[in-house]
Amino acid sequence: MNALTEQVPFVVLKFGGTSVSTPQRLKTIGEVMRQKRSDGVRVVTVVSALSQVTDTLKKITECSPEQSFALVDALETRHFSFAQTLGLGQPRELETLFRELRTLLETARPGPTDFLRQAAILAFGELLSSRLAVAFLRQQGLDVQWIDARTVLHATYGPFDSAWSKALSVNCRCAPDEVLQRRLAQQGELFLTQGFIAQDENGETVILGRGGSDTSAAYFGVLLNAQRVEIWTDVPGMFSANPRLVPDARLLKALDYDEAQEIASTGAKVLHPRCLPPCREARVPMVIKDTEHPHLDGTAIGVKSKTDVKSVKALSVRKGLVLVSMETVGMWQQVGFLSDVFAVYKKQGLSVGLIATSETNVTVSLDPSENLLNTAVLAELQRELAVICRVKMHQPCAAVTVVGRGMRSLLHRLTPWLNALEAQHIYLVTQSSNDLNFTVVVDEAAADQFLPSLHSELMRSGAMNVNDDNIFGPTLASLR
Ligand code: ADP
Ligand code: ASP
Ligand code: MG
């Protein structure tokens, strides 16, 4: 095969945890990379940690020294036995990484606010999986080069970032980088790197937040001015609802960036919500593909979906919400109440999700975030708000969202859908001004259970026009 010229474009492929955890799927990664190369593009592959490894690393940051060393032993056994299965023996790079991880744990124990040490520990999952994947792909005859993502992705900070987000949930600098493009083009044709990890201004390892490998791929896509970013996962695309909970859910063949953003932000885990803005901004198209069934087309995300027909496209659920209801008798025509209230959220570094107001009450929702779960921020919030108003918190709640372009003109079709929610206590209703979503907030306990019937109602009433085959494809069961 002739060498590629320097001008040949890049594509970025991202493979999630389940896509790197079996020999067969790693083989698929190699085949996809080989195929792209022979189609005449350079490839940068971004990988996540093997499935559940980041969860284990997180436990390591939280438990006693004895427990943490036992967990490292278990991780080591898992990685080395996988290496054996792959016919790689005992890779030296893995030994080095486990030595580094143990050294990190032997030096002073991380305290609960030692976020940089937590980030350094969490990064090992992707460092390990990327070393394993490169060794395997080389053994398969592919000339793949390993890139340390921390040399490419540099964290950027906003004025309201907390110490927590500056280490464990960073955004990165992201604009087409011709120097990087030229450097990689001179260096080779096939590359593999880690998702999830980056470097801060002091050269420390930081991470992009749980599920952040999708966002790493998007950043690489923009930096490299890629032809396309492909997110390879364990389902064949984005569906009209989570296909594991709703068997009737239909494949969404094509979405524009705004719709995909709305579906991802309202709960569809298949795409991390932060990965869309960089690609949308730089107009890099995205595709979601299934590693187990690589021949399937998946979901294409781009500037314009194929049809402007008004239809509900998806039903999403976001769980673990905290509702905060704030009431003041003095609010009627009171000046500055909302500003005082929101200043408290800003001070606590909390981003407000949904908002509903009446003359005397404002209710907001807070999405679950590690910040919320792992720190005393809620108690602090309650204490500070109590100075201004009467506060009530309610949790756990679930936000059930219907997403689709032209939602305003579809509202009348949602009547049967609302009827199906009859038995639920609805705490809050919002309709977004971008005309893309309608949300109700209910108790979390029943949310998964009534999802299939809510989805059926959307199809039955015609609000979700599944007969439009420009948008909707088959169900998961009939695709596989
Ligand atoms: P990866 O490890 O590849 O990043 P994730 O587990 O993060 O994969 O995302 C894939 C999962 O997203 C699927 O297995 C599916 O259960 C879930 N999911 C939730 N909502 C949707 C949806 N609307 N369409 C497709 N998948 C969804
Ligand atoms: N391994 C990381 C996580 O589990 C990042 C990712 O998979 O996207 O959160
Ligand atoms: Mg994911």
Side-chain angles (χ1 to χ4, degrees), residues 155-162 165-166 170-171:
T156 50
Y157 302 110
F160 306 113
D161 279 316
S162 61
S165 67
K166 280 177 166 174
V170 300
N171 293 299

Side-chain angles (χ1 to χ4, degrees), residues 14 16-17 214 232-235 237-239 241-244 268-270:
K14 177 262 170 175
D214 297 340
W232 290 73
T233 182
D234 59 1
V235 283
M238 200 173 231
F239 281 70
N242 184 346
R244 299 193 192 285
K269 188 182 169 222
V270 64

Side-chain angles (χ1 to χ4, degrees), residues 111-394:
T113 55
D114 199 347
F115 302 125
L116 281 173
R117 290 183 64 89
Q118 290 176 30
I121 293 168
L122 290 171
F124 274 86
E126 272 68 11
L127 291 168
L128 288 161
S129 65
S130 62
R131 287 295 189 185
L132 258 182
V134 165
F136 178 74
L137 296 173
R138 284 196 183 141
Q139 187 207 52
Q140 302 279 301
L142 284 174
D143 184 13
V144 182
Q145 305 191 35
W146 184 87
I147 305 176
D148 187 333
R150 293 167 295 188
T151 61
V152 178
L153 299 188
H154 299 276
T156 50
Y157 302 110
F160 306 113
D161 279 316
S162 61
W164 175 86
S165 67
K166 280 177 166 174
L168 295 170
S169 182
V170 300
N171 293 299
C172 294
R173 244 191 343 252
C174 164
D177 181 343
E178 283 178 22
V179 176
L180 175 70
Q181 290 162 28
R182 215 169 309 120
R183 179 158 64 78
L184 291 189
Q186 284 165 0
Q187 206 174 311
E189 298 174 347
L190 302 175
F191 302 88
L192 189 139
T193 190
Q194 313 75 44
F196 194 45
I197 70 174
Q199 159 178 192
D200 76 1
E201 59 208 349
N202 303 313
E204 301 279 353
T205 300
V206 289
I207 57 172
L208 277 66
R210 293 306 305 271
S213 297
D214 297 340
T215 310
S216 302
Y219 287 144
F220 270 95
V222 175
L223 289 163
L224 296 173
N225 198 14
Q227 235 180 28
R228 201 165 58 255
V229 170
E230 301 186 358
I231 305 289
W232 290 73
T233 182
D234 59 1
V235 283
M238 200 173 231
F239 281 70
S240 58
N242 184 346
R244 299 193 192 285
L245 299 175
V246 180
D248 275 348
R250 300 301 194 89
L251 174 72
L252 294 162
K253 292 181 180 172
L255 292 167
D256 63 35
Y257 292 109
D258 292 340
E259 294 166 319
Q261 176 74 63
E262 205 69 20
I263 299 171
S265 320
T266 53
K269 188 182 169 222
V270 64
L271 261 196
H272 195 274
R274 276 202 201 159
C275 77
L276 283 149
C279 285
R280 181 181 49 198
E281 190 69 21
R283 296 285 187 257
V284 178
M286 303 183 82
V287 188
I288 306 175
K289 299 270 293 177
D290 186 352
T291 312
E292 198 66 18
H293 302 88
H295 59 284
L296 296 174
D297 290 339
T299 300
I301 300 167
V303 177
K304 220 171 170 359
S305 61
K306 283 193 191 141
T307 167
D308 288 332
V309 175
K310 292 189 171 55
S311 167
V312 168
K313 301 233 170 107
L315 174 68
S316 310
V317 175
R318 222 156 65 252
K319 294 202 265 186
L321 264 60
V322 179
L323 274 193
V324 188
S325 152
M326 295 157 289
E327 201 152 306
T328 170
V329 270
M331 186 174 154
W332 191 70
Q333 292 192 341
Q334 181 184 337
V335 174
F337 176 67
L338 289 178
S339 142
D340 291 347
V341 159
F342 287 121
V344 177
Y345 288 85
K346 179 170 159 186
K347 182 171 163 214
Q348 295 299 332
L350 289 170
S351 150
V352 167
L354 305 164
I355 307 176
T357 64
S358 73
E359 291 297 353
T360 57
N361 178 290
V362 189
T363 301
V364 303
S365 75
L366 299 171
D367 275 348
S369 71
E370 291 184 54
N371 190 14
L372 209 57
L373 298 173
N374 296 350
T375 67
V377 71
L378 266 190
E380 234 351 68
L381 178 75
Q382 172 121 29
R383 200 182 54 73
E384 293 211 9
L385 285 174
V387 178
I388 319 171
C389 55
R390 279 197 294 275
V391 197
K392 269 198 235 140
M393 292 195 182
H394 188 79

Side-chain angles (χ1 to χ4, degrees), residues 310-312 410 413 457-466:
K310 292 189 171 55
S311 167
V312 168
L410 289 167
R413 294 197 177 217
E457 280 307 340
L458 290 172
M459 293 199 295
R460 212 183 348 253
S461 67
M464 183 184 278
N465 182 10
V466 290

